[in-house]
Amino acid sequence: MGSWLSKQLEPTSAHFTYLVLSIFLLAYAFFSDFIRNRLHLSEPPLATAVGILFGPRVLGVIDPASWGWSDSITQEATRIVVSFQVFTVGVQLPKAYFSRHWPSVAMMLLPVMTYGWLVTAGFVYAIMKTDWATALIISACLTPTDPVLAAAVLQGSRFSGRVPRRLRHMLSAESGFRYCSRKPSLMLQSSISPFSTTFVVALSNFADNSQSTSFPFLYAGLLMSMGTSTGEIIKSWFLSTILWQCALGLSIGLALGHFANRGLRIAERRKWIDPASFLSFYLLLALLSVGVGASLGLDDFLVAFGAGTGFAWDGWFANKTKETHLGDILDLLLNSSTFVYFGAIIPWSQFVPRDISPDITIWRLIGLLILILLFRRLPIVLLLKPLIPDIRTYREALFCGHFGPMGLGGLFLVIEARAQLETGESIPLPHPPEHHPNKKTIETVWPVVCFILLGSTFIHGCSVAGISVASHFQRNKDERAPLLAQEDEGLDGMVHEGGGGESEPSVSGDEDVSLYKPRSPAWECNC
């Protein structure tokens, strides 16, 4: 009997993964309101903890390496998840959002991102004792605000209702737009890694590669020191990066979303489409935008974000689907599953000194994480607060400065960085090569980025609980909620009324946006 039964059972690693993943998601679904609104925890840190617990490091149930999974699968899985999320951000923003709030988003994208990129590179260079090229690659992976983690905290919870809408919208828009520069930042830094003999040779080779682009700020700094021989390189950079990948990518995304909106309106008005297909249209359009962007060599994240923005620009689709919670469904299924996967592939053995990376130690990684969390965004957002119209108080600036999570987007970036270092293209080798001119950089980038992503996932994912508890005890005893951290009122020190917190509809198209006139930035004259 025992022999017969053993032949019937098929306890493979993949089958156990289905079991563990479905049990976790079902358990979370059962207690989702309690977890999100009582404990103030979001899915990403819990899913990552599940991946760690059942991964190779602890119980060994979930082991993606035993399935034959490679870096290219990780790259494509994170590409899809992040693309869906930036598309969702574009759909969920209030109608015509950027026509009114572009000054705030521009400030968060340009000076704040540039500062964070350079400061993070400086910390990596000093603490991990890398060369500048490696430091810049690592910093580029950690600069963008992750849209997946941002959505997990800013949407659909008791806490999110305590944050002014204009701040939630600004941070969401920032997280969606920041991935415009993901590939440019890595391409150039890969080109200037140690195997290149000089910057001139690296830049010349870089310009000859039609798929290469550059991170605009780094490339501008390098070009200033190159002299007259860089004219053609500037031309190639401008055409391939600014015009092709960014401008054309965004334009195609906006056009794709706009015409999809018009086509769906016609189909719905003439009753060509049923309710199930109406909802699936949302997901299929997101997937189409990724395919278009990737196939044409455009910035696929920017195409997806543009498609979502163009699709929901007038608020019609958001009004039609505001009771379906499509974004929440994506968070639970796609995002949580991917964070479980991330927890299972964390390279624990590489967080200690090795022959190839003797300067990587757990204490240096912890120190680097602390410095990045403290100085990557906070100082510059506090400094620029008078110039960011949507940030009204320094308490709001403190919140926006802290809230710059790093997550699955960084995982995609580090795989793409390794691909550029390994092959000079965006397609990675199945696994890091044993012998390569960039071996030291490849073996340094992966563990450092993974450790920072791990720390950010837990710290930013759990910071809502800390903020809620602190806010509870800051109140007078007679003003506190009966249960710990269960207040519903807006967070103290933030503007919630009078054109501040209520400046935007909760769902696109809920109200006439002409009733709202945003505060002018500090550099504009109100004479």
Side-chain angles (χ1 to χ4, degrees):
M1 181 65 181
S3 176
W4 176 86
L5 182 61
S6 64
K7 292 180 179 180
Q8 308 308 310
L9 300 179
E10 297 181 353
T12 66
S13 176
H15 297 167
F16 275 127
T17 300
Y18 308 150
L19 186 65
V20 170
L21 188 59
S22 59
I23 291 175
F24 163 68
L25 293 177
L26 285 171
Y28 183 88
F30 271 118
F31 301 101
S32 56
D33 186 72
F34 177 80
I35 294 172
R36 289 182 66 83
N37 296 324
R38 297 290 184 88
L39 301 180
H40 298 289
L41 295 175
S42 56
E43 301 97 324
L46 297 176
T48 303
V50 169
I52 295 172
L53 176 62
F54 290 94
R57 184 70 176 183
V58 184
L59 298 180
V61 175
I62 302 176
D63 185 8
S66 68
W67 311 340
W69 280 44
S70 62
D71 288 348
S72 59
I73 297 178
T74 301
Q75 182 187 44
E76 296 307 321
T78 51
R79 185 199 303 273
I80 292 297
V81 171
V82 176
S83 296
F84 268 103
Q85 192 60 65
V86 297
F87 180 86
T88 300
V89 168
V91 169
Q92 292 181 343
L93 285 174
K95 64 181 182 181
Y97 177 81
F98 289 103
S99 66
R100 304 182 308 282
H101 294 271
W102 66 266
S104 295
V105 178
M107 292 299 293
M108 297 300 291
L109 289 174
L110 298 178
V112 172
M113 183 170 65
T114 307
Y115 167 88
W117 172 59
L118 295 174
V119 166
T120 300
F123 288 145
V124 173
Y125 175 80
I127 296 175
M128 308 311 298
K129 300 186 182 302
T130 67
D131 54 67
W132 273 110
T134 302
L136 290 168
I137 292 172
I138 293 173
S139 178
C141 297
L142 302 175
T143 296
T145 298
D146 186 66
V148 179
L149 266 173
V153 175
L154 293 176
Q155 298 175 8
S157 66
R158 182 193 301 270
F159 178 83
S160 64
R162 304 183 65 193
V163 179
R165 290 173 180 170
R166 59 188 156 76
L167 295 185
R168 303 201 311 263
H169 295 148
M170 182 187 71
L171 292 172
S172 295
E174 175 204 357
S175 70
F177 237 124
R178 274 201 174 199
Y179 278 88
C180 157
S181 60
R182 82 200 196 289
K183 189 182 292 185
S185 61
L186 299 174
M187 290 292 207
L188 175 68
Q189 293 147 20
S190 300
S191 298
I192 63 174
S193 51
F195 74 90
S196 298
T197 56
T198 65
F199 280 136
V200 175
V201 172
L203 290 172
S204 299
N205 293 336
F206 175 80
D208 292 337
N209 184 351
S210 62
Q211 293 298 318
S212 294
T213 53
S214 69
F215 187 57
F217 306 107
L218 171 62
Y219 203 38
L222 290 173
L223 289 175
M224 290 174 61
S225 64
M226 290 296 106
T228 57
S229 62
T230 59
E232 288 299 319
I233 302 172
I234 296 176
K235 178 182 176 181
S236 176
W237 168 81
F238 180 77
L239 292 175
S240 63
T241 303
I242 301 302
L243 294 184
W244 182 261
Q245 288 214 352
C246 291
L248 182 61
L250 181 60
S251 299
I252 288 179
L254 289 170
L256 185 64
H258 173 77
F259 287 113
N261 177 291
R262 296 301 168 187
L264 188 60
R265 278 176 174 269
I266 295 173
E268 196 263 346
R269 185 169 59 248
R270 298 184 179 181
K271 301 188 183 303
W272 292 345
I273 189 169
D274 59 35
S277 299
F278 187 90
L279 291 179
S280 64
F281 193 90
Y282 172 98
L283 304 178
L284 295 174
L285 179 60
L287 189 60
L288 174 64
S289 64
V290 176
V292 169
S295 299
L296 294 179
L298 306 171
D299 190 318
D300 38 4
F301 291 167
L302 190 56
V303 174
F305 181 67
T309 302
F311 186 57
W313 185 260
D314 58 3
W316 172 77
F317 183 80
N319 271 334
K320 287 281 188 180
T321 60
K322 61 183 177 182
E323 300 299 329
T324 61
H325 302 286
L326 284 175
D328 296 335
I329 295 172
L330 283 177
D331 288 344
L332 182 61
L333 296 178
L334 287 180
N335 302 346
S336 297
S337 301
T338 312
F339 273 104
V340 171
Y341 172 73
F342 170 59
I345 65 170
I346 294 172
W348 300 101
S349 62
Q350 299 181 30
F351 295 158
V352 296
R354 297 176 296 155
D355 292 339
I356 193 68
S357 54
D359 296 311
I360 295 181
T361 68
I362 190 63
W363 292 111
R364 287 189 179 186
L365 290 170
I366 292 174
L368 178 63
L369 172 64
I370 294 172
L371 289 174
I372 289 175
L373 293 177
L374 289 177
F375 296 103
R376 171 173 159 263
R377 285 169 60 97
L378 271 172
I380 190 66
V381 174
L382 289 170
L383 180 66
L384 296 178
K385 176 258 176 188
L387 302 179
I388 304 177
D390 282 327
I391 297 180
R392 306 299 174 84
T393 69
Y394 280 100
R395 183 70 65 87
E396 294 179 358
L398 189 65
F399 175 81
C400 294
H402 162 73
F403 196 76
M406 299 160 279
L408 295 183
L411 186 61
F412 173 85
L413 294 178
V414 71
I415 293 294
E416 184 148 323
R418 282 170 51 176
Q420 291 295 324
L421 291 167
E422 293 167 358
T423 66
E425 299 177 354
S426 61
I427 302 175
L429 298 175
H431 303 285
E434 290 295 328
H435 304 286
H436 196 280
N438 294 326
K439 178 70 172 176
K440 182 176 177 62
T441 301
I442 294 170
E443 294 292 340
T444 301
V445 166
W446 176 244
V448 173
V449 171
C450 283
F451 186 88
I452 302 301
L453 298 183
L454 176 65
S456 177
T457 298
F458 280 102
I459 292 174
H460 286 107
C462 298
S463 61
V464 169
I467 295 173
S468 299
V469 171
S471 174
H472 177 84
F473 286 108
Q474 284 177 350
R475 295 170 175 264
N476 296 326
K477 287 188 177 181
D478 57 344
E479 296 177 347
R480 297 174 185 171
L483 297 176
L484 179 64
Q486 298 305 301
E487 287 79 12
D488 292 316
E489 298 82 7
L491 292 174
D492 294 336
M494 297 184 178
V495 179
H496 298 273
E497 298 177 354
E502 301 303 324
S503 61
E504 295 287 358
S506 59
V507 178
S508 300
D510 277 359
E511 61 186 45
D512 185 359
V513 296
S514 65
L515 299 177
Y516 166 64
K517 182 179 180 180
R519 178 169 67 101
S520 299
W523 61 79
E524 289 188 5
C525 177
N526 294 320
C527 303

